[in-house]
Amino acid sequence: MNIIVATIIVSLIVAFVLGVLLGLFKKIFAVQTDPKVQAIQEVLSGGNCGGCGYAGCAAFAEAVAAGKAPANGCIAGGPSVAAKVGEILGVSVSAQKKVTILACQGTTECAGIKGTYNGVKTCAAAAQAINGTKLCSFGCIGYGDCVEACPFDALHIKNGIPEVDYKKCVGCGKCARACPKKLFSIIDSTRKGSVALCSNHSDNKPSIKKNCSVGCIKCGMCVRKCPEHCIELINGIPAVDYDKCTSCKACIEVCPDKVLKLVQDIVC
């Protein structure tokens, strides 16, 4: 009995000593952290989406506090988060909400399919195996790698291509990085002007029309009819100078395949 009591007493003493030592070690070797880091992290979106260019919100907060990242770098948070970060840093900060746009309209009704694909049902796998499942090798494959990558549930496959929910999209860029065809562009949500919703760079006009009824056939009508001369064909795709574009819709009205649309009519 005495041995049991002695063992208990010794154990308590050892535990007490170890606790004291651990407390001392924690105090001696404690890493001093900038209180701004914690304050910044608390106002961030918490999505850990990587849109800021860092591994997560914690890494971004440390970079901002150290002056290595911009205060308005939280893409997911947008203007409201940028303003809060600015208050913590004592500076005036502005930011613009970002969104994504898909440069493809090749739905199941419009784009022809190569045949039956029996491989792994991901866009990355299909692109590597057979350069996509559609006759248009530039078009959206439609297996939803972008949907899986989106941390905000802003993308859903509809009629064979992803549809963007602009009430949820924050322009984090994960969809753009996940798409093997590079069909997504990240833009300011307030952008106004015309945009081409096609990425077919081929100059074989007959095959373009055969493979996808809404593909750009490189007719150049948009370039010739633009009164502001703000459109040019780059790699076969109409590119718009948004500093000149007035959203007059002249290019949209003459486009035979309705490739061009106003950004403000898409992002709404």
Side-chain angles (χ1 to χ4, degrees), residues 2 25 87 166 210 220 248 260 263 266:
N2 291 335
F25 289 151
E87 289 179 7
Y166 287 105
K210 179 181 177 182
C248 69
L260 292 155
V263 175
I266 302 170

Side-chain angles (χ1 to χ4, degrees), residues 135-151:
L135 292 175
C136 174
S137 60
F138 299 93
C140 174
I141 298 171
Y143 282 135
D145 290 19
C146 53
V147 175
E148 292 295 323
C150 179

